[in-house]
Amino acid sequence: MIHPVILCGGSGTRLWPSSRKGYPKQFAPLLGESSLYQATLRRLTGPRFTRPLVMTNEEFRFLASQQAAGIGLSDAQVVVEPCLRDTAPAILVAALIVAQDDGDEGLMLVAPSDHVIADLPGFLHAVDRGAEAARSGALVTFGVTPDRPETGYGYLEIARKPDGTGAALPVSSFREKPDVATAAKFLEAGTYLWNAGIFLFRAADVIAAFEAHAPDLVAPARAALDRGREDLNLFRLDPDSYAGSPSISFDYAVMEKAGRVSAVPLDCAWSDLGAWDAIWAAESPDEDGLAIRGPVTAVDCRDSYLRSEEPGLQLVGLGLDGVVAVAMRDAVLVADKSRVQEVKGLVSTLRAGGVDQADDYPRFHRPWGWYETLCIDTRFQVKRIMVHPGGVLSLQSHHHRSEHWIVVSGTAEVTIGDQVKLVTENQSVYIPLGTVHRMANPGKLPMYLIEVQTGAYLGEDDIQRYEDVYGRG
């Protein structure tokens, strides 16, 4: 069987404002009810695969576990990277884990968490062909057959044109993102594929490749794994050891240097949803090139994408041509469709200007659920809070604010000082300033409440934690 390894730590800032550092695109329901990460998990389940191994970071550890459990994959193995070190160290750690679990012959399929693949049978056929090559010792990568001179992807140069069988072909070189003229030459040649960033190999083979071509990564990865520890349903790599690893991509560290690298052509409507024009294409535009999502009204618009993510926010487009407009409660993007690749730089500009929306998502996700601010002024704030079934907030107090909680759906178990009581729908409680308190959801359905804060300071750092079931400080 094949061990799926899912890389789940990116930020996806080209899809701002829907994707931000606090809630990146892999976790967002960009194309339906499920997230891209959940779609990836589903794609890599079945008789070919073992339970998934998810490599993520500290900020997303609970989201990764919760979204996996949300589609019935509560056995997913989540490994927490203590700091960002690009893809090479993460893949090496995953290979060491697979080798421990399955020996030298263990196969691992490494996939990003934020890709869209429409043709599942076609993808699985490519995986089967890749497995054949990997079992013979090749390091396999997957390349998408290009249908246009795309400048947003890197390319794989292969030894000869694909013959239609899907067989793995030797890779001659890796090419960076080209300009338009070079991309057109690649397309005409027929011996270039888009680099999909998906890999398949035996764990022992890729470990040997690291030892040969990136030996400075091996000791930190082994130490981070050996000194790591279980934490709830997660595995934490040792921070000091992992921090000693260079930050480098897997292609640069290994694939571009290794001797036996093969590519399997991937002919299955693949997209990495790297920018808003890719979302537009995935939304199946109408005959006028218009695609919409959410509460949108479009009049005389063409070649455009209009999206509203707030149920009560109606987005109206009139006479638009070649425009992307994305509306959220706290931020709106309006861009020339031909320049959406520049959104990443725009986010850097917002960040440099101290704009909170550059990174902060309007809904803040926590291990117990989420909260969002409905209204805020100098001395009060109103929040909506959702607590998962079984979710427990930390035992805490505040130095500068008092709180009113009004349960609007479900039942809350509320601790105030030394008293514990149940608060049901339409009931409320008051937590005086400085009082130790906690809330939990003892029910089997999500619990929702409205929190009204009043005080001189309403920042999230006004929390004194005494106990936390999720191990937060």
Side-chain angles (χ1 to χ4, degrees):
M1 296 181 73
I2 299 173
H3 297 261
V5 175
I6 300 174
L7 305 179
C8 196
S11 58
T13 52
R14 287 188 179 90
L15 292 179
W16 186 91
S18 295
S19 173
R20 310 185 199 181
K21 181 180 178 181
Y23 193 65
K25 69 174 182 174
Q26 62 264 32
F27 298 115
L30 290 174
L31 296 176
E33 296 299 319
S34 298
S35 69
L36 300 177
Y37 167 60
Q38 289 175 316
T40 302
L41 287 169
R42 288 194 178 102
R43 190 182 308 127
L44 302 182
T45 59
R48 291 173 177 80
F49 302 107
T50 66
R51 67 170 180 157
L53 172 60
V54 179
M55 304 295 298
T56 190
N57 59 43
E58 183 77 16
E59 191 170 357
F60 307 140
R61 65 196 189 282
F62 293 112
L63 269 175
S65 296
Q66 289 165 1
Q67 290 203 357
I71 58 171
L73 293 176
S74 56
D75 66 338
Q77 184 180 7
V78 178
V79 177
V80 180
E81 301 172 70
C83 56
L84 298 178
R85 284 296 180 266
D86 215 322
T87 53
I91 290 173
L92 176 53
V93 167
L96 294 170
I97 293 172
V98 171
Q100 286 179 354
D101 293 345
D102 203 15
D104 290 346
E105 297 300 313
L107 286 175
M108 53 189 287
L109 175 67
V110 180
S113 58
D114 55 0
H115 290 184
V116 172
I117 296 177
D119 178 10
L120 180 58
F123 173 72
L124 294 177
H125 173 73
V127 169
D128 290 341
R129 299 310 302 265
E132 294 172 7
R135 289 190 180 97
S136 68
L139 302 182
V140 176
T141 185
F142 292 81
V144 179
T145 304
D147 59 6
R148 61 186 184 276
E150 176 62 53
T151 61
Y153 302 140
Y155 283 72
L156 306 169
E157 182 185 8
I158 51 179
R160 59 184 181 276
K161 292 183 179 181
D163 58 10
T165 66
L169 299 169
V171 173
S172 303
S173 67
F174 288 72
R175 298 297 184 93
E176 297 293 335
K177 297 176 182 178
D179 57 27
V180 174
T182 304
K185 293 178 181 178
F186 288 171
L187 182 65
E188 182 180 1
T191 54
Y192 291 85
L193 306 171
W194 292 336
N195 188 351
I198 304 172
F199 309 98
L200 178 59
F201 28 66
R202 291 185 302 201
D205 292 329
V206 75
I207 292 170
F210 271 103
E211 291 172 340
H213 305 293
D216 53 338
L217 274 70
V218 176
R222 290 190 184 276
L225 184 59
D226 292 343
R227 299 171 186 168
R229 61 182 177 87
E230 299 286 343
D231 180 13
L232 301 176
N233 60 336
L234 312 168
F235 184 84
R236 290 179 173 276
L237 298 174
D238 178 65
D240 293 337
S241 302
Y242 200 73
S245 179
S247 180
I248 186 171
S249 76
F250 180 60
D251 275 346
Y252 287 151
V254 172
M255 296 297 282
E256 295 185 8
K257 301 173 183 176
R260 190 176 176 189
V261 176
S262 297
V264 173
L266 200 58
D267 296 307
C268 54
W270 167 90
S271 174
D272 72 344
L273 297 184
W276 282 114
D277 55 347
I279 297 284
W280 166 82
E283 294 275 28
S284 301
D286 65 16
E287 59 185 11
D288 293 322
L290 175 66
I292 64 174
R293 180 169 287 271
V296 171
T297 299
V299 179
D300 294 333
C301 297
R302 62 183 302 276
D303 192 31
S304 295
Y305 182 55
L306 308 181
R307 178 189 186 100
S308 174
E309 297 202 2
E310 188 68 24
L313 196 162
Q314 183 73 20
L315 175 62
V316 181
L318 174 61
L320 300 178
D321 189 349
V323 169
V324 168
V326 181
M328 298 186 67
R329 179 192 315 159
D330 65 335
V332 177
L333 170 71
V334 181
D336 187 312
K337 184 164 162 282
S338 67
R339 299 183 62 181
V340 291
Q341 291 287 344
E342 300 174 39
V343 170
K344 182 176 182 179
L346 179 65
V347 174
S348 298
T349 300
L350 294 174
R351 194 175 289 146
V355 178
D356 291 341
Q357 289 91 332
D359 294 318
D360 290 344
Y361 202 74
R363 177 173 291 178
F364 292 82
H365 291 263
R366 296 294 183 262
W368 43 261
W370 52 258
Y371 72 87
E372 56 190 0
T373 296
L374 304 179
C375 181
I376 187 169
D377 209 324
T378 53
R379 291 189 61 88
F380 76 89
Q381 180 171 207
V382 180
K383 291 181 177 180
R384 181 166 69 137
I385 298 175
M386 188 281 288
V387 183
H388 294 299
V392 183
L393 279 71
S394 60
L395 187 67
Q396 59 185 257
S397 65
H398 308 294
H399 298 293
H400 303 287
R401 70 175 185 256
S402 60
E403 296 174 343
H404 294 261
W405 293 343
I406 304 99
V407 176
V408 294
S409 179
T411 299
E413 181 185 86
V414 175
T415 300
I416 302 177
D418 57 0
Q419 294 185 345
V420 179
K421 62 180 179 179
L422 294 179
V423 182
T424 59
E425 188 173 321
N426 291 326
Q427 293 183 329
S428 64
V429 294
Y430 171 63
I431 300 96
L433 183 150
T435 303
V436 176
H437 61 280
R438 173 159 54 193
M439 123 185 26
N441 180 2
K444 296 183 178 180
L445 296 174
M447 183 267 289
Y448 293 83
L449 61 84
I450 301 298
E451 177 181 88
V452 181
Q453 303 175 353
T454 57
Y457 178 72
L458 306 172
E460 286 302 313
D461 55 347
D462 180 22
I463 295 180
Q464 175 68 50
R465 282 197 178 99
Y466 304 97
E467 182 181 304
D468 185 70
V469 299
Y470 305 108
R472 296 172 297 171

